[in-house]
Each structure stands twice: as C-alpha cells, then as structure tokens.
Amino acid sequence: DGKCVFCRIARREEPGTALLPCQYEDLVCFRDRKPGAPHHYLVVPVQHLGNCKTLKTEHIPLVKRMMEVGKAVLQQNNFNDLNDVRMGFHWPPFCSISHLHLHVLAPASQLGFLSRLYYRTNSYWFIT
C-alpha cells in the first residue's frame, strides 16, 4: 500500500526512519516517533496486515516472532530485565495506523502518567 507509512518504512522508502537489526526478513523494527518509555520500539510485518482485530489463529507464530524480535532489540540496546517490559497492540479504533504493529516498551516501571494510561495492560484500547 503506497499510502501506508509502515509499508513505506518496511520498503526502506522513509529515509528518516532507521531500521534496527532484525533476525526475520518478514519483519522490521524501529524506534517509535513518540516514545512512551526510554525504550519504545515498533515491530512491524513487511507484508501489509490490518490491525490486531484481523489476526487469526494462523497468525500466532507471527505474533510470537514479533515478540521475539522485541525482546532481542531490547537486549541489543542493553536492556535485559525482560520482566519490566510491556508489549501489545492498540485495539481499533485506538490505533493510529492500520498496519499491524507491536509496541515494545521498557522499562514498563518508568512509563509516565499518560503512557501508563495509553499502554495500560489489557485495557479497552491496548491488549497484550
């Protein structure tokens, strides 16, 4: 999709967005433009997939790999307390971009007041 910013990032057509090392060719990872924590990354499939509401049982391996990438990028950036991490998806209509993307935030204990609300575990708008 030429209009989808995450598709353009995955195709390396957004020069302002640096991709981080990723062990899977079908996924990309980059820093969130508006970080909610000291470490805030997005893990995005290269192939355009809708939001998390479009996920089906066959997508479980994809989501597990997305989480694996999130943990790996945290460790590559010297964050090793994987018990202080929040990962999840914004539930429509609360996602700003309709391309599946996993938020990886750490340390979760350092989320600011608004970020604690915006990325609240299993809330009406954010699911882990």
Side-chain angles (χ1 to χ4, degrees):
D1 182 356
K3 294 180 182 178
C4 175
V5 67
F6 286 170
C7 286
R8 290 194 314 269
I9 290 170
R11 290 190 305 260
R12 293 159 174 78
E13 295 172 356
E14 289 287 322
T17 303
L19 297 182
L20 301 169
C22 182
Q23 65 263 44
Y24 297 107
E25 290 183 14
D26 64 335
L27 298 173
V28 294
C29 182
F30 50 93
R31 294 183 185 278
D32 192 288
R33 284 187 187 174
K34 296 179 184 174
H39 295 273
H40 189 168
Y41 308 102
L42 298 177
V43 181
V44 177
V46 171
Q47 177 185 357
H48 186 89
L49 290 173
N51 56 50
C52 59
K53 264 190 169 178
T54 65
L55 291 173
K56 297 184 169 93
T57 305
E58 67 252 21
H59 293 114
I60 290 173
L62 171 68
V63 172
K64 285 183 177 181
R65 285 187 295 112
M66 292 172 78
M67 293 176 66
E68 192 180 320
V69 167
K71 290 175 186 175
V73 78
L74 286 170
Q75 291 173 323
Q76 290 163 7
N77 285 280
N78 300 315
F79 186 84
N80 294 303
D81 184 2
L82 298 180
N83 294 316
D84 196 14
V85 175
R86 183 155 311 156
M87 292 191 204
F89 303 97
H90 279 112
W91 193 253
F94 303 101
C95 45
S96 57
I97 297 174
S98 189
H99 181 132
L100 187 67
H101 56 286
L102 176 71
H103 288 267
V104 179
L105 300 113
S109 60
Q110 291 183 25
L111 290 171
F113 176 75
L114 289 177
S115 292
R116 280 196 312 270
L117 290 175
Y118 199 62
Y119 301 102
R120 193 170 89 198
T121 304
N122 295 325
S123 60
Y124 180 69
W125 53 87
F126 188 75
I127 59 168
T128 56

